[in-house]
Structures are given as structure tokens and as C-alpha cells.
Amino acid sequence: MSKEEKKVNRRDFLFTASYTIGAVGVGAVIWPMIDQMNPDKAQQALATTEVDISTIEPGKSITVLWRGKPIFIKKRTSEEIAEARAVKLDDLPDPQKDEDRVKDGKDEWLVMLGVCTHLGCVPLKDKGDFNGWFCPCHGSHYDVSGRIRKGPAPTNMEIPKFEFVDSNTIKIG
Amino acid sequence: MSEHEYVPKSKAGKWFNDRLPLLTLGAHLTDYPTPKNLNYWWTFGGILTFCLITQIVTGIVLAMHYVAHADLAFASVEHIMRDVNYGWLIRYIHSNGASMFFLAVYIHIFRSLFYGSYKSPREVIWIIGLMIYLLMMAAAFMGYVLPWGQMSFWGATVITNLFSAIPLVGDSITTWLWGAYSVDNPTLNRFFSLHYLIPFLILGLVVLHIWALHVPGNNNPVGIDIKKPSKDTVPFHPYITIKDAFALLVFMIVFAGFVFFTPNVLGHSDNYIPANPLVTPAHIVPEWYLLPFYAILRSVPDKLGGVILMFGAIFILFVLPWLDTSKVRSAVFRPIYRQFYWIFVLDVLMLGYVGAMPAEGIYLVLARAGTIYYFAHFIIVMPVVGLLEKTDPVPLSISDPVLTGGAEPSLARKVNDKV
């Protein structure tokens, strides 16, 4: 009797050990299969872009490509900056001060991801009800600071990591 | 499988069948007792099988000429259209074939909804069918991306961004799907790989779908359980095969009409512009067969809410067999449900229409009303009507009304009333 019990216990241990090792093994094989779909080294290598901004006139903007996505670089006029800062935070679905969306002392330069935060379309400039951008896909309106004001987009257009290399060049990423 | 045991006539046949009973399977499929009153709405199963095989064959051929690379894909599709022998024909059959596939599957689904084919004991057939439908949508979406035109690129961007609505992990999932930081060459590559895979998954599910069908047997327009085999059934071959073949011929005329006379009418002309990640087309629309769901997505002024409702519109179909409380299958004998059924059909058509229109003004109002009715139909109408409705008398057998003078199932009621 006791001998038999011992036998069953030994078998239970073998089962549990086999399942555990098996599960670890399966997991170790599945993870590479999943992770191979994440951005590869070549994609990650495109992480920074330098842009010459010396030719942009006040009130105008350019669009550059960074990691396959458009970046809007706009040199804002002082009226536009004043307009962006006059907005009450309570009127914003995603409250954020204009000051927090630009670099200190470079208030005229708005650098942001030109991607609607709803479903990823590229908004059109100088359109919409708030003097900023308008997304033609599903009707999101952004203001002159790129903040969402009306429509289905949940958040403001994203500000990427960027820095001024010198007064004429910015490095994105 | 078969009621009677099948024995091959030849010695070689018997030798083989003892080792792999394929001949028994063939005999089962030939003799399979089928309700004798199946109407032409029942021919779409065969038509759908034809559609799947057509897509697989033309797809394999197209893959011999297509190049899945962001820089070359668009040009390779034009190469197929202009240089490859009969390339234009094969591509037009494949692209219109997708639309024909969906046309047939929608008729097939709505037939099931009208005659209650999703109800007990056929829930598993219904659920496998819905899984096929989901895979079809995935395959069609990825296939639409492959030519790498403007609609391909921006359709892919919008659809993959749906996943970014998921809280916390949404952005990581989207990046993982892309294999880049936007829709780019890695995305195209994997979509091609999956687009090639999915039809074979569908093929496997179709086998299960038919297997599950052959357990209880076909539903029928009267929606009653029948004895098999009996005077209510006919063997599948030749009775159903010839009827299916005729319906398929008519269907192929329509199919050929699109391919040869208006091959681009169901597509969008913007997809003949190469993909440009800097410019979004003014008006993005999915292919026609996804429009009702697109309308539901846009009707909600909240990103996550819209995505949940859109997926919910499909997933609610999975629990339909348990939402429908009526014991009578066929809408022929359900005077109240029958009216709601047609309202639902109109509702889906209207959602499809507003899905193609800009999301503003009256279209937005219609989309919202349509979305509310869509869900109300399943959550309120189906359970409540099933409980309250006074159904018409159901005949005892398919032959019953026929033998007593009424050929139409609708006449069967009157005959029964007198009894």
C-alpha cells in the first residue's frame, strides 16, 4: 500500500515537472516568434532626423518625415502664440498649456507629430474651426497649438523628443 | 456517417476503403439526405465554396508576379495589369472575387437570420461560420493593402490604429503590428504573408462548417425538424448538386459582368495613386462590405467607445443563438419578427450607405440612429419578440402542406388552421 502511494507520488512529480519544463520551453519558443514582429534594428536606426529650419517664414510650416511619420514644423507668428495662450484650460478636452508644448525661449517653433490621435491620418493645415489643423478622416479639429478641440480624437497631437542643435537646425528623436 | 454501411463494388475499392474510408465519405456526401423544399437562398453555400477556391487559385497565380515591397509593390501590380499574360483578367477576378465572396456571404448570413438556421441544434455551425466571416474580413483588409496605393496605405493606417484605442498597451500593440513606427515596408511584408495564410485557415474552417452541418442536417424554409431519410428529403446528388450548379451559373454571370464590364466600380480610384505617407486622401472609405461597421465606428464621438461598438457589432452575432428566445425557427411563421427582420435589413443597408458618406450633419444623425437600432435588434427585439409573439401554426412535415393542396409554405398555415 505504502509502496503504491509512493509510486503515484513519484509519477505526479514527473508529470508536474514535465508540464513545467514543457511550458517554459513552449514560452521560450513562442516569444521569439512574437518579438520578431516588433520594429527591427534597421527601423530603430532611423530614430533621429536633422532638419534645417532657416528658410521657414513666420506663419508658415513644413512637413518632414521621421520614422515614416510626418512631423509638422511651424514657425508661429506672435498673434498665433498669443491666441494659443489665451485659451482657457477648461475649454480643452486634453488640458495642456501652450508653454508646455514648445521649448522655452523658442516659443515660435511648434514641432509636433502630424498624426491625428484618433486613427492616424495626417491633418490638413490652416483648416478647421480653431485656426489650426483639421483631420479629414473623421473630423477632428486642432487649434494653433495642435491641441484637440472638437471631434473624436482623444488627445493633443504628440510632441516628439527634439532639440535645437543650433538656431537653424533641429534634431528630432 | 451514412445510415447504411457503404461497401465499394470493386475489390481495389474495398481494399483502399478499408485502409482510408474516402469512398465511404464520398457515398455519404452523395446520398446525404437534404430537405426537399430548399429554395434558392440555400444555394449560397456552394457558391461560397466556389468563391473560396477562385480566390485561392487566382491568389496563388498573382503571388507568382507580385512583389511585397513598399518600393516595388505598386509597380508590380501595374506590371501584372499590363505585362503579365492575362494578368489583368486574373487580378480583376481576384479583386472582384473578394466583393462577390462578401455579396454571397451576406446573402448566406441573412438567409440564416430569416430562417433561424443559427438556432439549436445548429449553434456550432453558426459560430464556425462567423469565425470564417471574421477571417474573411481580415484577409480582405490585408489584400486591399497589398497594391500599396493611397487607399491601401491609409486604410491600413486607420484600421491598425483602431488597436491604439486599447488602454495602456494600445500603442505597443500597434507598433508590434506595424513592425515599424508607422505603416511601412515591414507591415506590407507581414500582411502579404498573412494574406496568403488566411484562405487556408478558412478552408479548414469550411470543412468543420460542413462537418457540423452534416450532424443535424440542413435547416429548411419551414424550419421544422424532419426525419432523415424520409419522404421529406432527397439525396444531395443529383437533386441539390444540379440546383446548386444552376444557381452558381447565374452567380457567375453577375461575377463576369463585374470583371469584364465594370472591373473598378467597387474599388476606389485613389488606390491607383501610389502610397504617400505625407498626404491623407480627402475622403477615406473602406471597401463596400465593411461600410456598415465603419458607420458604427464613426457614429461614436469617443475613440475607445467607437472601437468597442464596432467590434461589438460583430461579436454580438456569436451569442445570437441565445438571444433569440423563440422556439419557432423560420420567420415564415413569425409575423412580428418577420417585420423586425426587414427593418434590420434596411438598417444595415442604411448604415452601409452613411458609412460611405462624410461623417457630418444628417449622415451622423442617421449613423447614430442606425447604430442604436442595430444593437436594439439583438439585445431587445430578439429576446422580447421571441417571448411575446404569437406564432402561426407550423406544419408537422414538409410534405404535409404539399400533399394537402398548398405548395407554398405560407399557404400551409391556412391549411393547418382548418384542421
Side-chain angles (χ1 to χ4, degrees):
Chain A
M1 181 71 195
S2 64
K3 210 177 174 185
E4 225 171 61
E5 246 173 44
K6 208 179 172 189
K7 242 184 181 174
V8 170
N9 286 337
R10 183 181 144 86
R11 181 151 290 190
D12 282 348
F13 171 77
L14 284 173
F15 275 140
T16 310
S18 308
Y19 288 144
T20 309
I21 298 297
V24 171
V26 169
V29 174
I30 285 179
W31 176 246
M33 292 295 163
I34 293 172
D35 193 42
Q36 54 83 21
M37 281 176 68
N38 273 316
D40 55 35
K41 299 283 184 296
Q43 291 291 331
Q44 290 170 9
L46 305 170
T48 60
T49 304
E50 289 200 8
V51 187
D52 176 13
I53 54 171
S54 58
T55 55
I56 305 172
E57 300 286 326
K60 300 286 177 199
S61 64
I62 61 165
T63 306
V64 295
L65 212 55
W66 173 66
R67 284 180 161 185
K69 282 177 174 164
I71 298 279
F72 294 157
I73 303 174
K74 183 174 171 95
K75 189 173 190 177
R76 302 184 296 177
T77 60
S78 46
E79 296 88 66
E80 284 171 329
I81 299 171
E83 184 191 330
R85 299 198 170 173
V87 178
K88 278 197 242 98
L89 283 187
D90 294 345
D91 294 341
L92 298 170
D94 178 21
Q96 192 182 21
K97 281 194 202 158
D98 182 62
E99 288 87 335
D100 297 338
R101 294 176 59 78
V102 294
K103 296 271 186 228
D104 244 358
K106 302 269 190 188
D107 297 333
E108 70 272 33
W109 292 108
L110 179 66
V111 179
M112 66 180 179
L113 217 51
V115 173
C116 180
T117 55
H118 183 224
L119 294 175
C121 297
V122 179
L124 305 168
K125 65 181 173 186
D126 305 324
K127 283 237 167 73
D129 300 351
F130 298 91
N131 246 335
W133 287 266
F134 171 71
C135 182
C137 290
H138 308 98
S140 292
H141 300 254
Y142 295 88
D143 68 11
V144 74
S145 186
R147 293 173 296 195
I148 179 66
R149 301 299 292 272
K150 202 173 107 184
T155 56
N156 304 331
M157 275 194 268
E158 205 183 310
I159 306 291
K161 211 178 124 213
F162 74 98
E163 60 190 53
F164 285 87
V165 179
D166 53 52
S167 55
N168 285 335
T169 316
I170 60 169
K171 191 171 96 177
I172 305 164
Chain B
M1 294 236 246
S2 270
E3 306 292 313
H4 59 94
E5 203 47 52
Y6 167 80
V7 183
K9 284 192 191 79
S10 72
K11 219 178 164 188
K14 195 173 176 315
W15 180 89
F16 182 80
N17 205 49
D18 284 345
R19 282 149 185 81
L20 179 67
L22 270 187
L23 295 172
T24 304
L25 177 65
H28 162 76
L29 293 175
T30 311
D31 300 341
Y32 173 64
T34 317
K36 65 180 180 185
N37 61 338
L38 295 190
N39 56 33
Y40 274 104
W41 301 113
W42 257 265
T43 59
F44 283 87
I47 287 170
L48 283 161
T49 311
F50 165 80
C51 287
L52 177 62
I53 292 166
T54 304
Q55 291 306 89
I56 289 178
V57 171
T58 52
I60 288 171
V61 173
L62 287 171
M64 295 179 185
H65 305 281
Y66 171 77
V67 185
H69 188 282
D71 297 337
L72 304 171
F74 189 88
S76 77
V77 171
E78 284 311 302
H79 161 73
I80 289 169
M81 294 300 291
R82 292 152 198 250
D83 304 339
V84 175
N85 299 331
Y86 294 104
W88 59 272
L89 176 65
I90 296 159
R91 175 167 177 258
Y92 277 153
I93 291 175
H94 196 73
S95 61
N96 285 284
S99 283
M100 292 299 110
F101 206 155
F102 275 96
L103 176 68
V105 91
Y106 281 128
I107 293 173
H108 195 63
I109 291 171
F110 275 102
R111 187 269 290 154
S112 180
L113 286 175
F114 187 83
Y115 293 110
S117 303
Y118 51 87
K119 291 196 217 193
S120 172
R122 297 184 180 82
E123 301 95 323
V124 173
I125 312 174
W126 171 253
I127 288 169
I128 293 171
L130 288 174
M131 290 161 75
I132 294 173
Y133 175 51
L134 279 176
L135 283 178
M136 279 175 64
M137 290 197 281
F141 157 65
M142 291 184 193
Y144 196 54
V145 174
L146 301 184
W148 213 239
Q150 272 290 68
M151 277 295 158
S152 299
F153 184 89
W154 291 102
T157 299
V158 167
I159 300 294
T160 50
N161 263 300
L162 292 177
F163 294 92
S164 72
I166 301 168
L168 300 176
V169 293
D171 285 330
S172 314
I173 290 178
T174 318
T175 306
W176 179 72
L177 288 173
W178 289 335
Y181 301 99
S182 61
V183 172
D184 210 331
N185 188 51
T187 324
L188 175 61
N189 249 298
R190 63 191 56 184
F191 277 19
F192 179 56
S193 169
L194 295 173
H195 182 73
Y196 209 119
L197 164 73
I198 290 174
F200 297 98
L201 296 181
I202 292 177
L203 190 62
L205 284 174
V206 166
V207 172
L208 293 183
H209 194 61
I210 295 171
W211 186 1
L213 168 70
H214 280 229
V215 176
N218 288 71
N219 184 29
N220 64 77
V222 184
I224 55 168
D225 291 320
I226 51 170
K227 278 206 213 78
K228 290 162 295 218
S230 72
K231 63 183 163 85
D232 279 349
T233 66
V234 290
F236 190 82
H237 182 75
Y239 293 95
I240 304 297
T241 41
I242 196 69
K243 186 163 183 162
D244 276 1
F246 178 70
L248 179 60
L249 268 175
V250 175
F251 184 79
M252 283 161 81
I253 292 172
V254 177
F255 196 147
F258 277 106
V259 169
F260 291 107
F261 293 98
T262 63
N264 287 306
V265 72
L266 297 170
H268 197 294
S269 51
D270 274 12
N271 221 26
Y272 283 103
I273 303 169
N276 179 355
L278 290 177
V279 182
T280 305
H283 187 44
I284 293 194
V285 279
E287 292 272 80
W288 68 267
Y289 38 81
L290 302 176
L291 286 172
F293 301 108
Y294 193 60
I296 291 174
L297 168 77
R298 296 196 305 181
S299 71
V300 186
D302 176 73
K303 182 174 169 180
L304 182 59
V307 173
I308 289 175
L309 239 54
M310 187 187 74
F311 283 107
I314 299 164
F315 283 104
I316 198 166
L317 295 169
F318 280 85
V319 291
L320 176 61
W322 296 275
L323 289 173
D324 186 349
T325 52
S326 177
K327 294 215 163 41
V328 175
R329 286 198 196 99
S330 175
V332 169
F333 305 107
R334 300 185 60 191
I336 308 295
Y337 170 72
R338 196 164 57 217
Q339 293 169 36
F340 281 108
Y341 171 86
W342 288 112
I343 295 173
F344 180 70
V345 172
L346 291 176
D347 184 57
V348 173
L349 290 175
M350 183 196 75
L351 280 174
Y353 173 72
V354 297
M357 296 291 131
E360 55 197 31
I362 181 71
Y363 298 120
L364 198 54
V365 177
L366 287 174
R368 285 180 182 160
T371 301
I372 291 168
Y373 183 77
Y374 183 96
F375 284 97
H377 181 82
F378 292 113
I379 296 169
I380 300 169
V381 172
M382 283 287 207
V384 173
V385 169
L387 289 176
L388 300 181
E389 182 180 40
K390 189 180 178 303
T391 54
D392 294 333
V394 173
L396 293 171
S397 80
I398 293 171
S399 303
D400 222 20
V402 180
L403 295 176
T404 46
E408 278 287 307
S410 55
L411 294 174
R413 273 178 272 154
K414 292 174 197 155
V415 174
N416 257 14
D417 285 347
K418 282 178 209 151
V419 173

